[in-house]
Amino acid sequence: MAERFPALVLTEQDGRTESAIREMTTGDLPDGDVLVDVAYTTLNYKDALAITGKGKIIRTFPFVPGIDFSGRVLESAHPGYAPGQEVVLTGWGVGERHWGGMAGRARVKGDWLVTLPEGLDLRGAMALGTAGFTAMLAVQALEAGEHRPDAGEIAVTGASGGVGSVAIALLAKRGFQVTASTGKPDQADFLKQLGAHDVVDRSLFTEPSKAPLGSARFAGAIDTVGGATLAGLLKVMQYHGVVAACGLAGSADLPATVFPFILRGVRLQGIDSVYCPSEPRAAAWRRLAQDLSADVLEGLSATYPLADLPELARGLLAGEVRKRVVIDVKA
């Protein structure tokens, strides 16, 4: 008899998305050249939208969500992987178009996997997940813009979120002076523990102003919010400042002018973590393993069983989840 394993399965009933823990076998899984014994997954904003049906993330049902997972290879027809190897997956449409990691097993294309880097364990990888990977790509974008710790303040918007909190820890580790922007003043102590030098209210960047530019303050920035926040941030960048844009928690619109670009030479760098090529993807994961200690990862996250996912998804969308969610699929 085929080994059975639990999975969070989404179905659609009368136009509503419903979720339930069900038992499955490997025969239920979609095609792929690597079968992974999943140890941990995590809960991202996109996952929460999929589980609750609040966003049009999933188009076909039944479906197993989960855009991230870590685990060990069970079977492989891919030349780069062999049984027993520890691997991580983020992005590539997994958990959106291809069944994801909220299950005891996952079958995927080997080209989508990254070997777990030395210095990082399977749980730590999911304390980071897509959020941590995206944060590292954003930090690397600032470094590529020749930003050094003595250049001046670095702003991080949406600082209490997954990407923002990891970005603060990464920047602080590198010696940068980080200003955290958040709409959650009760998170100030947590953000300072991560390494933020200053914590400001998000209204700093959204207060109405007809002026095309503000006082030049920040040498660089990582923006996870978009919309009016990103537009306001661009106005207060220093000459040749770099803004790494990696989110739209506020809005996908950008009500900005060209003045920051043509008068101060500000650069706006987009960050794509979904289809990032394999080589820079693996390099970013190696940097994450080097730059963040196990203690930091423990402080950033909390672990829950698979059965808690529906409730956690609702809480995440309501702004009630404070730390990165790690799901132990074996619990």
Side-chain angles (χ1 to χ4, degrees):
M1 181 179 294
E3 183 178 357
R4 306 185 71 83
F5 55 85
L8 180 71
V9 180
L10 305 183
T11 56
E12 190 175 46
Q13 299 293 333
D14 300 323
R16 299 190 314 273
T17 299
E18 298 185 355
S19 61
I21 304 297
R22 297 183 179 179
E23 282 198 335
M24 307 185 75
T25 70
T26 54
D28 299 316
L29 297 174
D31 293 338
D33 53 10
V34 179
L35 177 65
V36 178
D37 179 25
V38 177
Y40 297 95
T41 184
T42 184
L43 180 68
N44 296 284
Y45 188 76
K46 191 178 291 184
D47 296 318
L49 291 174
I51 292 169
T52 61
K54 299 291 186 182
K56 296 296 182 181
I57 306 298
I58 309 304
R59 303 289 181 176
T60 59
F61 298 89
F63 193 84
V64 175
I67 66 174
D68 302 337
F69 67 77
S70 62
R72 294 177 179 83
V73 174
L74 287 176
E75 301 173 2
S76 177
H78 188 282
Y81 297 97
Q85 279 186 269
E86 294 185 324
V87 293
V88 179
L89 185 143
T90 62
W92 299 109
V94 171
E96 298 178 71
R97 295 184 302 280
H98 189 96
W99 282 18
M102 293 180 176
R105 301 282 189 275
R107 184 183 284 121
V108 295
K109 292 183 179 180
D111 289 345
W112 298 342
L113 296 169
V114 171
T115 299
L116 185 74
E118 184 177 351
L120 191 63
D121 62 19
L122 293 172
R123 185 200 174 279
M126 287 300 98
L128 292 165
T130 286
F133 175 56
T134 303
M136 177 52 80
L137 292 179
V139 170
Q140 289 178 317
L142 297 186
E143 293 174 341
E146 300 183 353
H147 279 294
R148 298 294 179 265
D150 59 359
E153 288 181 85
I154 305 294
V156 177
T157 66
S160 60
V163 176
S165 58
V166 177
I168 290 169
L170 288 169
L171 289 165
K173 173 71 174 181
R174 308 295 287 183
F176 287 94
Q177 181 176 317
V178 183
T179 296
S181 165
T182 180
K184 300 175 181 177
D186 60 317
Q187 294 294 293
D189 289 344
F190 169 65
L191 296 174
K192 288 183 177 180
Q193 288 171 9
L194 290 176
H197 174 78
D198 191 17
V199 179
V200 299
D201 190 87
R202 62 187 177 190
S203 62
L204 176 68
F205 303 115
T206 57
E207 292 177 350
S209 172
K210 294 182 179 180
L213 293 172
S215 298
R217 175 174 175 177
F218 299 103
I222 295 175
D223 175 62
T224 72
V225 179
T229 295
L230 177 54
L233 185 60
L234 290 168
K235 290 183 178 182
V236 293
M237 298 302 297
Q238 294 179 16
Y239 190 74
H240 278 179
V242 176
V243 179
C246 56
L248 40 67
S251 174
D253 295 330
L254 182 57
T257 72
V258 299
F259 287 112
F261 308 112
I262 64 175
L263 296 183
R264 289 184 180 163
V266 172
R267 286 168 284 178
L268 180 59
Q269 176 65 57
I271 304 299
D272 167 40
S273 61
V274 177
Y275 297 108
C276 176
S278 296
E279 187 173 336
R281 182 180 291 266
W285 276 103
R286 289 193 295 270
R287 276 283 304 275
L288 285 167
Q290 294 167 8
D291 288 4
L292 293 179
S293 68
D295 289 343
V296 171
L297 295 179
E298 188 67 30
L300 279 169
S301 59
T303 305
Y304 303 87
L306 192 66
D308 285 0
L309 272 169
E311 182 179 352
L312 288 165
R314 289 187 288 270
L316 181 63
L317 296 183
E320 299 168 354
V321 176
R322 300 303 189 191
K323 291 188 174 184
R324 289 278 299 151
V325 172
V326 177
I327 300 296
D328 182 347
V329 300
K330 311 299 187 188

